[in-house]
Amino acid sequence: MSILLFAVVASVVSIAYGLFLMWQVLKKPTGDEKMRFIAKAIEEGAGAYLKREFMVVAGVGIILALVMWWMIDALTAAGFVVGAVASLLAGYIGMYVAIKSNVRVAEAAKQGIKPAFDLSFKGGSVTGFLVAGLALLSLTLFYWWTGDVKPLIGLGFGGSLVSVFARLGGGIFTKGADVGADLVGKVEAGIPEDDPRNPAVIADNVGDNVGDTKGMAADIFETYAVSAIAVMLLGSLLFGGVEEIITFPLLIGGVALLASIVGSWFVRLKNNIMGAMYKGLAVTAALTIGAFYWLVIKDPFVTFITIPSTAIFHSLLVGIGVTALVFWITDYYTSKKFSPVKDIAQASTTGHGTNIIMGLAVSMESTVWPVLFIVAGILSSFYFAGIYGVALATMSMLSLTAIVVAIDAFGPITDNAGGIAEMAGLPDSVREATDPLDAVGNTTKAVTKGYAIASAGLAALILFSSYTQELIELGKDLTFDLSNVQVLVGLFLGGLMPYLFGARAMKAVGRAGGAIVDEVRRQFREIPGIMEGTGKPDYAAAVDIVTKAAIREMIFPALIPVVMPIAVGFLLGPQALGGLLVGVIITGIFMAISMTSGGAAWDNAKKYIEEGNHGGKKSFAHQAAVTGDTVGDPYKDTAGPAINPMIKVANIVALLIARFLV
């Protein structure tokens, strides 16, 4: 069986398994009429946002596709369309499954935490296996059709651009609603989270789906696709277009997809929620390593011209190892079990300011070990097989996408399930089942973002290497010397991009959250009986406010990684553009890790206090922790994760325009 045929079969099996799990989820009961009404309101709000976002993304996408058709070629433009459509589809699937799962998990939670966990993990697994299967299938079929690796750059660009919009728009929506709901509901009115009297609660729950689920699915799709494309492109440039070497990343992805299906069967809750999911991840990793050994050492499927099989295998092992280390260290900095989160909670006892100071300190410190692990991964894989070894380590990391996304996507489902339980007035025992799952979900979301960011950093290095190799192929063998003023200027310009991007995203959340605060205050003031439970809040008004804000605010920052490389490349030249790419990779990785880990730590510090520590709910420490959480929300769910695709968009744009710079 050829590699291309095997990759198609593996991706189809993954998609079929995801659809089977979806059928299992959808046949579960949806609860009483009130629960179904709330779930329907969330679904309608998400649908309304999705339609508006699609119109903007489609408009920008059509213009860029036509420009690429005119300036580059039809196949690259077609690849852009395929990548954009597939990324949109991946995001929609993730959102649809979460929306259909949340009310069913709330109903299952009436029977206890185990049934709720099992169903929410199945819902998350649907997203994981459909996203990974769709990514591998679109890559394989498009390459099979074109027979050329170059048009795949367009596919990666389409997926990355849609991912930036999805992460930005969804992040602005979800955190604008969340921040506004918390500031007025918890701090001012003193009512619980997800209290149905709060006009922003439906918008908050809609945001979990359009941000945490849809944005995450599109993000992981493009991370997987772009990483595979980068490795295929580098393999083509380094090994003279040998077919088996070009398609080797597709073999890696297909093998790991099948291993992930088996690994998911081992996720069973006994005592430890996180431990149950890590068991599935460990089994998947072990099976994947065994398959790598068989295909590379025992019965080599591909013969590499200048690199020993043992070096190839060891490079693949590095990727699995870096994944495990990133999971472990992110868990340490974001879980309620460990000192960083407990330190933030302790700092909350002395006020809002000390909470913020400690949270910022934790967020900055959380970058140290992940970056050291990435550096160790780069050095060791480069030692084994040069820059191609780094590429293989990157693909090895991303090969675990299906099981990693399954672990991540269960978090927003349980978050929504808890919200539905609160709004529907279900017994406290239901929240006692969903709240621990939600708290672990905050950690798994942070862990997945750390995984995506680490792999994005490695993928961006491969894209940069592909950019330099592309220049050599075009007859422009350049050195990127720090004594060259153009390179230095490029480094500074690239370094500022994540800061400008993050600032615009944070400002957008601040404005959207402020608008929600004003709206909730207005409704409390003008609609009689809301606080007494006799008046009905206008949920649709809050949804409409954050929808308009998200669509309006996402356009400018999303265009930064497109416009800046083009401007620098044409105005300052290819060496300045190379400097820009390095600058955006370095500052982007630090900012993204800091924001995602720090934000999750702030959130779980609040939950740690809500469990009864340091005075529990409504205490002075809790009020300070809510303030910290509102700062951490746009950190971890808007600016931080959106930097990940932004880095890769900049590198892909550089690859697309390289031919015009020589």
Side-chain angles (χ1 to χ4, degrees), residues 312-325 373-374 376-382 384 389-390 392-394 396-397 458:
I312 297 295
F313 177 67
H314 290 147
S315 297
L316 294 171
L317 280 184
V318 168
I320 302 292
V322 172
T323 298
L325 290 171
F373 294 150
I374 292 170
I378 292 170
L379 289 174
S380 54
S381 56
F382 188 88
F384 290 126
V390 181
L392 290 179
T394 305
S396 176
M397 286 187 70
L458 293 174

PDB file of all heavy atoms in Angstrom, residues 312-325 373-374 376-382 384 389-390 392-394 396-397 458:
ATOM      1  N   ILE A 312      16.545   9.028  12.211  1.00  0.00           N
ATOM      2  CA  ILE A 312      15.153   9.384  11.929  1.00  0.00           C
ATOM      3  C   ILE A 312      14.266   8.992  13.110  1.00  0.00           C
ATOM      4  O   ILE A 312      13.436   9.788  13.586  1.00  0.00           O
ATOM      5  CB  ILE A 312      14.664   8.674  10.646  1.00  0.00           C
ATOM      6  CG1 ILE A 312      15.473   9.123   9.429  1.00  0.00           C
ATOM      7  CG2 ILE A 312      13.171   8.921  10.430  1.00  0.00           C
ATOM      8  CD1 ILE A 312      15.311  10.564   9.059  1.00  0.00           C
ATOM      9  N   PHE A 313      14.445   7.776  13.607  1.00  0.00           N
ATOM     10  CA  PHE A 313      13.638   7.297  14.728  1.00  0.00           C
ATOM     11  C   PHE A 313      13.865   8.136  15.977  1.00  0.00           C
ATOM     12  O   PHE A 313      12.906   8.509  16.677  1.00  0.00           O
ATOM     13  CB  PHE A 313      13.973   5.825  15.010  1.00  0.00           C
ATOM     14  CG  PHE A 313      13.253   5.260  16.203  1.00  0.00           C
ATOM     15  CD1 PHE A 313      11.873   5.097  16.196  1.00  0.00           C
ATOM     16  CD2 PHE A 313      13.961   4.907  17.341  1.00  0.00           C
ATOM     17  CE1 PHE A 313      11.212   4.573  17.299  1.00  0.00           C
ATOM     18  CE2 PHE A 313      13.310   4.382  18.450  1.00  0.00           C
ATOM     19  CZ  PHE A 313      11.926   4.221  18.426  1.00  0.00           C
ATOM     20  N   HIS A 314      15.112   8.457  16.281  1.00  0.00           N
ATOM     21  CA  HIS A 314      15.403   9.256  17.468  1.00  0.00           C
ATOM     22  C   HIS A 314      14.813  10.668  17.359  1.00  0.00           C
ATOM     23  O   HIS A 314      14.346  11.234  18.354  1.00  0.00           O
ATOM     24  CB  HIS A 314      16.918   9.326  17.698  1.00  0.00           C
ATOM     25  CG  HIS A 314      17.513   8.023  18.129  1.00  0.00           C
ATOM     26  ND1 HIS A 314      18.789   7.627  17.783  1.00  0.00           N
ATOM     27  CD2 HIS A 314      16.996   7.025  18.866  1.00  0.00           C
ATOM     28  CE1 HIS A 314      19.034   6.439  18.303  1.00  0.00           C
ATOM     29  NE2 HIS A 314      17.966   6.050  18.967  1.00  0.00           N
ATOM     30  N   SER A 315      14.804  11.234  16.160  1.00  0.00           N
ATOM     31  CA  SER A 315      14.185  12.550  15.974  1.00  0.00           C
ATOM     32  C   SER A 315      12.683  12.485  16.248  1.00  0.00           C
ATOM     33  O   SER A 315      12.114  13.394  16.863  1.00  0.00           O
ATOM     34  CB  SER A 315      14.436  13.042  14.540  1.00  0.00           C
ATOM     35  OG  SER A 315      15.815  13.215  14.295  1.00  0.00           O
ATOM     36  N   LEU A 316      12.044  11.411  15.797  1.00  0.00           N
ATOM     37  CA  LEU A 316      10.613  11.228  16.070  1.00  0.00           C
ATOM     38  C   LEU A 316      10.356  11.077  17.572  1.00  0.00           C
ATOM     39  O   LEU A 316       9.369  11.598  18.102  1.00  0.00           O
ATOM     40  CB  LEU A 316      10.088  10.009  15.312  1.00  0.00           C
ATOM     41  CG  LEU A 316      10.081  10.117  13.783  1.00  0.00           C
ATOM     42  CD1 LEU A 316       9.751   8.773  13.151  1.00  0.00           C
ATOM     43  CD2 LEU A 316       9.089  11.180  13.321  1.00  0.00           C
ATOM     44  N   LEU A 317      11.264  10.367  18.253  1.00  0.00           N
ATOM     45  CA  LEU A 317      11.130  10.214  19.711  1.00  0.00           C
ATOM     46  C   LEU A 317      11.217  11.561  20.421  1.00  0.00           C
ATOM     47  O   LEU A 317      10.515  11.795  21.421  1.00  0.00           O
ATOM     48  CB  LEU A 317      12.234   9.297  20.247  1.00  0.00           C
ATOM     49  CG  LEU A 317      12.059   7.790  20.096  1.00  0.00           C
ATOM     50  CD1 LEU A 317      13.208   7.065  20.784  1.00  0.00           C
ATOM     51  CD2 LEU A 317      10.729   7.338  20.689  1.00  0.00           C
ATOM     52  N   VAL A 318      12.070  12.449  19.932  1.00  0.00           N
ATOM     53  CA  VAL A 318      12.219  13.771  20.546  1.00  0.00           C
ATOM     54  C   VAL A 318      10.875  14.498  20.553  1.00  0.00           C
ATOM     55  O   VAL A 318      10.499  15.124  21.550  1.00  0.00           O
ATOM     56  CB  VAL A 318      13.290  14.597  19.800  1.00  0.00           C
ATOM     57  CG1 VAL A 318      13.246  16.061  20.250  1.00  0.00           C
ATOM     58  CG2 VAL A 318      14.672  14.027  20.059  1.00  0.00           C
ATOM     59  N   GLY A 319      10.140  14.437  19.436  1.00  0.00           N
ATOM     60  CA  GLY A 319       8.846  15.113  19.370  1.00  0.00           C
ATOM     61  C   GLY A 319       7.869  14.602  20.414  1.00  0.00           C
ATOM     62  O   GLY A 319       7.167  15.387  21.072  1.00  0.00           O
ATOM     63  N   ILE A 320       7.811  13.274  20.597  1.00  0.00           N
ATOM     64  CA  ILE A 320       6.940  12.692  21.622  1.00  0.00           C
ATOM     65  C   ILE A 320       7.385  13.145  23.007  1.00  0.00           C
ATOM     66  O   ILE A 320       6.562  13.474  23.874  1.00  0.00           O
ATOM     67  CB  ILE A 320       6.946  11.153  21.534  1.00  0.00           C
ATOM     68  CG1 ILE A 320       6.505  10.677  20.138  1.00  0.00           C
ATOM     69  CG2 ILE A 320       6.066  10.551  22.619  1.00  0.00           C
ATOM     70  CD1 ILE A 320       5.071  10.944  19.801  1.00  0.00           C
ATOM     71  N   GLY A 321       8.709  13.168  23.220  1.00  0.00           N
ATOM     72  CA  GLY A 321       9.234  13.584  24.519  1.00  0.00           C
ATOM     73  C   GLY A 321       8.929  15.027  24.842  1.00  0.00           C
ATOM     74  O   GLY A 321       8.544  15.350  25.981  1.00  0.00           O
ATOM     75  N   VAL A 322       9.092  15.924  23.864  1.00  0.00           N
ATOM     76  CA  VAL A 322       8.779  17.336  24.092  1.00  0.00           C
ATOM     77  C   VAL A 322       7.297  17.504  24.410  1.00  0.00           C
ATOM     78  O   VAL A 322       6.918  18.294  25.292  1.00  0.00           O
ATOM     79  CB  VAL A 322       9.173  18.191  22.862  1.00  0.00           C
ATOM     80  CG1 VAL A 322       8.664  19.622  23.014  1.00  0.00           C
ATOM     81  CG2 VAL A 322      10.687  18.196  22.693  1.00  0.00           C
ATOM     82  N   THR A 323       6.435  16.752  23.727  1.00  0.00           N
ATOM     83  CA  THR A 323       4.991  16.808  24.019  1.00  0.00           C
ATOM     84  C   THR A 323       4.723  16.451  25.472  1.00  0.00           C
ATOM     85  O   THR A 323       3.978  17.149  26.175  1.00  0.00           O
ATOM     86  CB  THR A 323       4.228  15.842  23.095  1.00  0.00           C
ATOM     87  OG1 THR A 323       4.410  16.242  21.738  1.00  0.00           O
ATOM     88  CG2 THR A 323       2.742  15.845  23.428  1.00  0.00           C
ATOM     89  N   ALA A 324       5.318  15.350  25.941  1.00  0.00           N
ATOM     90  CA  ALA A 324       5.103  14.920  27.328  1.00  0.00           C
ATOM     91  C   ALA A 324       5.589  15.976  28.312  1.00  0.00           C
ATOM     92  O   ALA A 324       4.905  16.282  29.310  1.00  0.00           O
ATOM     93  CB  ALA A 324       5.826  13.593  27.569  1.00  0.00           C
ATOM     94  N   LEU A 325       6.752  16.562  28.050  1.00  0.00           N
ATOM     95  CA  LEU A 325       7.306  17.562  28.964  1.00  0.00           C
ATOM     96  C   LEU A 325       6.465  18.838  28.982  1.00  0.00           C
ATOM     97  O   LEU A 325       6.242  19.429  30.051  1.00  0.00           O
ATOM     98  CB  LEU A 325       8.748  17.883  28.561  1.00  0.00           C
ATOM     99  CG  LEU A 325       9.772  16.765  28.803  1.00  0.00           C
ATOM    100  CD1 LEU A 325      11.107  17.116  28.161  1.00  0.00           C
ATOM    101  CD2 LEU A 325       9.941  16.507  30.302  1.00  0.00           C
ATOM    102  N   PHE A 373      12.580  23.314  27.243  1.00  0.00           N
ATOM    103  CA  PHE A 373      12.254  22.026  26.627  1.00  0.00           C
ATOM    104  C   PHE A 373      12.272  22.130  25.099  1.00  0.00           C
ATOM    105  O   PHE A 373      12.733  21.211  24.408  1.00  0.00           O
ATOM    106  CB  PHE A 373      10.879  21.534  27.097  1.00  0.00           C
ATOM    107  CG  PHE A 373      10.812  21.203  28.563  1.00  0.00           C
ATOM    108  CD1 PHE A 373       9.625  21.347  29.268  1.00  0.00           C
ATOM    109  CD2 PHE A 373      11.930  20.738  29.243  1.00  0.00           C
ATOM    110  CE1 PHE A 373       9.551  21.050  30.614  1.00  0.00           C
ATOM    111  CE2 PHE A 373      11.867  20.437  30.596  1.00  0.00           C
ATOM    112  CZ  PHE A 373      10.675  20.586  31.281  1.00  0.00           C
ATOM    113  N   ILE A 374      11.746  23.237  24.573  1.00  0.00           N
ATOM    114  CA  ILE A 374      11.765  23.445  23.121  1.00  0.00           C
ATOM    115  C   ILE A 374      13.205  23.528  22.619  1.00  0.00           C
ATOM    116  O   ILE A 374      13.560  22.926  21.596  1.00  0.00           O
ATOM    117  CB  ILE A 374      10.974  24.720  22.748  1.00  0.00           C
ATOM    118  CG1 ILE A 374       9.475  24.522  23.015  1.00  0.00           C
ATOM    119  CG2 ILE A 374      11.193  25.072  21.274  1.00  0.00           C
ATOM    120  CD1 ILE A 374       8.668  25.804  22.911  1.00  0.00           C
ATOM    121  N   ALA A 376      15.857  22.252  24.065  1.00  0.00           N
ATOM    122  CA  ALA A 376      16.450  20.913  24.152  1.00  0.00           C
ATOM    123  C   ALA A 376      15.976  20.041  22.991  1.00  0.00           C
ATOM    124  O   ALA A 376      16.759  19.261  22.424  1.00  0.00           O
ATOM    125  CB  ALA A 376      16.077  20.266  25.487  1.00  0.00           C
ATOM    126  N   GLY A 377      14.694  20.178  22.630  1.00  0.00           N
ATOM    127  CA  GLY A 377      14.162  19.416  21.504  1.00  0.00           C
ATOM    128  C   GLY A 377      14.826  19.797  20.193  1.00  0.00           C
ATOM    129  O   GLY A 377      15.153  18.927  19.366  1.00  0.00           O
ATOM    130  N   ILE A 378      15.038  21.093  19.994  1.00  0.00           N
ATOM    131  CA  ILE A 378      15.700  21.556  18.765  1.00  0.00           C
ATOM    132  C   ILE A 378      17.133  21.030  18.691  1.00  0.00           C
ATOM    133  O   ILE A 378      17.573  20.493  17.667  1.00  0.00           O
ATOM    134  CB  ILE A 378      15.694  23.097  18.697  1.00  0.00           C
ATOM    135  CG1 ILE A 378      14.256  23.617  18.504  1.00  0.00           C
ATOM    136  CG2 ILE A 378      16.580  23.601  17.569  1.00  0.00           C
ATOM    137  CD1 ILE A 378      14.126  25.121  18.665  1.00  0.00           C
ATOM    138  N   LEU A 379      17.874  21.177  19.795  1.00  0.00           N
ATOM    139  CA  LEU A 379      19.280  20.763  19.802  1.00  0.00           C
ATOM    140  C   LEU A 379      19.423  19.255  19.591  1.00  0.00           C
ATOM    141  O   LEU A 379      20.269  18.797  18.807  1.00  0.00           O
ATOM    142  CB  LEU A 379      19.943  21.172  21.115  1.00  0.00           C
ATOM    143  CG  LEU A 379      20.185  22.672  21.322  1.00  0.00           C
ATOM    144  CD1 LEU A 379      20.715  22.937  22.722  1.00  0.00           C
ATOM    145  CD2 LEU A 379      21.164  23.207  20.275  1.00  0.00           C
ATOM    146  N   SER A 380      18.608  18.481  20.293  1.00  0.00           N
ATOM    147  CA  SER A 380      18.758  17.024  20.200  1.00  0.00           C
ATOM    148  C   SER A 380      18.317  16.499  18.839  1.00  0.00           C
ATOM    149  O   SER A 380      19.005  15.650  18.246  1.00  0.00           O
ATOM    150  CB  SER A 380      17.968  16.335  21.319  1.00  0.00           C
ATOM    151  OG  SER A 380      16.615  16.749  21.302  1.00  0.00           O
ATOM    152  N   SER A 381      17.187  16.982  18.318  1.00  0.00           N
ATOM    153  CA  SER A 381      16.737  16.501  17.005  1.00  0.00           C
ATOM    154  C   SER A 381      17.684  16.977  15.905  1.00  0.00           C
ATOM    155  O   SER A 381      17.919  16.254  14.925  1.00  0.00           O
ATOM    156  CB  SER A 381      15.302  16.957  16.723  1.00  0.00           C
ATOM    157  OG  SER A 381      15.173  18.361  16.822  1.00  0.00           O
ATOM    158  N   PHE A 382      18.240  18.192  16.051  1.00  0.00           N
ATOM    159  CA  PHE A 382      19.220  18.672  15.076  1.00  0.00           C
ATOM    160  C   PHE A 382      20.489  17.817  15.138  1.00  0.00           C
ATOM    161  O   PHE A 382      21.104  17.523  14.101  1.00  0.00           O
ATOM    162  CB  PHE A 382      19.558  20.140  15.337  1.00  0.00           C
ATOM    163  CG  PHE A 382      20.415  20.771  14.269  1.00  0.00           C
ATOM    164  CD1 PHE A 382      19.838  21.358  13.156  1.00  0.00           C
ATOM    165  CD2 PHE A 382      21.802  20.774  14.369  1.00  0.00           C
ATOM    166  CE1 PHE A 382      20.615  21.927  12.161  1.00  0.00           C
ATOM    167  CE2 PHE A 382      22.590  21.344  13.382  1.00  0.00           C
ATOM    168  CZ  PHE A 382      21.997  21.922  12.277  1.00  0.00           C
ATOM    169  N   PHE A 384      20.638  14.687  15.811  1.00  0.00           N
ATOM    170  CA  PHE A 384      20.379  13.396  15.172  1.00  0.00           C
ATOM    171  C   PHE A 384      20.308  13.503  13.646  1.00  0.00           C
ATOM    172  O   PHE A 384      20.879  12.681  12.942  1.00  0.00           O
ATOM    173  CB  PHE A 384      19.071  12.796  15.696  1.00  0.00           C
ATOM    174  CG  PHE A 384      19.133  12.346  17.113  1.00  0.00           C
ATOM    175  CD1 PHE A 384      18.204  12.801  18.040  1.00  0.00           C
ATOM    176  CD2 PHE A 384      20.122  11.471  17.541  1.00  0.00           C
ATOM    177  CE1 PHE A 384      18.251  12.392  19.359  1.00  0.00           C
ATOM    178  CE2 PHE A 384      20.181  11.051  18.870  1.00  0.00           C
ATOM    179  CZ  PHE A 384      19.249  11.517  19.783  1.00  0.00           C
ATOM    180  N   GLY A 389      15.737  16.734  11.075  1.00  0.00           N
ATOM    181  CA  GLY A 389      15.392  16.098  12.344  1.00  0.00           C
ATOM    182  C   GLY A 389      14.452  16.960  13.164  1.00  0.00           C
ATOM    183  O   GLY A 389      13.515  16.456  13.798  1.00  0.00           O
ATOM    184  N   VAL A 390      14.695  18.279  13.160  1.00  0.00           N
ATOM    185  CA  VAL A 390      13.781  19.206  13.844  1.00  0.00           C
ATOM    186  C   VAL A 390      12.397  19.140  13.201  1.00  0.00           C
ATOM    187  O   VAL A 390      11.367  19.155  13.890  1.00  0.00           O
ATOM    188  CB  VAL A 390      14.328  20.651  13.795  1.00  0.00           C
ATOM    189  CG1 VAL A 390      13.378  21.603  14.523  1.00  0.00           C
ATOM    190  CG2 VAL A 390      15.719  20.719  14.404  1.00  0.00           C
ATOM    191  N   LEU A 392      11.066  16.551  11.655  1.00  0.00           N
ATOM    192  CA  LEU A 392      10.421  15.292  12.048  1.00  0.00           C
ATOM    193  C   LEU A 392       9.922  15.346  13.491  1.00  0.00           C
ATOM    194  O   LEU A 392       8.856  14.796  13.807  1.00  0.00           O
ATOM    195  CB  LEU A 392      11.404  14.131  11.876  1.00  0.00           C
ATOM    196  CG  LEU A 392      11.759  13.756  10.433  1.00  0.00           C
ATOM    197  CD1 LEU A 392      12.766  12.615  10.428  1.00  0.00           C
ATOM    198  CD2 LEU A 392      10.514  13.371   9.650  1.00  0.00           C
ATOM    199  N   ALA A 393      10.664  15.978  14.381  1.00  0.00           N
ATOM    200  CA  ALA A 393      10.210  16.136  15.770  1.00  0.00           C
ATOM    201  C   ALA A 393       8.916  16.934  15.816  1.00  0.00           C
ATOM    202  O   ALA A 393       8.004  16.624  16.601  1.00  0.00           O
ATOM    203  CB  ALA A 393      11.302  16.818  16.597  1.00  0.00           C
ATOM    204  N   THR A 394       8.819  17.963  14.973  1.00  0.00           N
ATOM    205  CA  THR A 394       7.599  18.768  14.909  1.00  0.00           C
ATOM    206  C   THR A 394       6.418  17.922  14.460  1.00  0.00           C
ATOM    207  O   THR A 394       5.333  17.956  15.062  1.00  0.00           O
ATOM    208  CB  THR A 394       7.787  19.943  13.922  1.00  0.00           C
ATOM    209  OG1 THR A 394       8.932  20.681  14.295  1.00  0.00           O
ATOM    210  CG2 THR A 394       6.576  20.847  13.925  1.00  0.00           C
ATOM    211  N   SER A 396       6.137  14.709  14.608  1.00  0.00           N
ATOM    212  CA  SER A 396       5.876  13.706  15.633  1.00  0.00           C
ATOM    213  C   SER A 396       4.988  14.289  16.740  1.00  0.00           C
ATOM    214  O   SER A 396       4.058  13.633  17.221  1.00  0.00           O
ATOM    215  CB  SER A 396       7.196  13.213  16.219  1.00  0.00           C
ATOM    216  OG  SER A 396       6.991  12.308  17.261  1.00  0.00           O
ATOM    217  N   MET A 397       5.284  15.529  17.145  1.00  0.00           N
ATOM    218  CA  MET A 397       4.432  16.195  18.136  1.00  0.00           C
ATOM    219  C   MET A 397       2.993  16.292  17.640  1.00  0.00           C
ATOM    220  O   MET A 397       2.044  15.950  18.340  1.00  0.00           O
ATOM    221  CB  MET A 397       4.954  17.599  18.434  1.00  0.00           C
ATOM    222  CG  MET A 397       6.186  17.685  19.283  1.00  0.00           C
ATOM    223  SD  MET A 397       6.575  19.398  19.712  1.00  0.00           S
ATOM    224  CE  MET A 397       5.243  19.774  20.854  1.00  0.00           C
ATOM    225  N   LEU A 458       8.282  25.235  16.688  1.00  0.00           N
ATOM    226  CA  LEU A 458       9.121  24.353  15.879  1.00  0.00           C
ATOM    227  C   LEU A 458       8.730  24.429  14.406  1.00  0.00           C
ATOM    228  O   LEU A 458       9.592  24.472  13.519  1.00  0.00           O
ATOM    229  CB  LEU A 458       8.996  22.914  16.387  1.00  0.00           C
ATOM    230  CG  LEU A 458       9.563  22.641  17.786  1.00  0.00           C
ATOM    231  CD1 LEU A 458       9.245  21.228  18.231  1.00  0.00           C
ATOM    232  CD2 LEU A 458      11.069  22.863  17.802  1.00  0.00           C
TER     233      LEU A 458
END
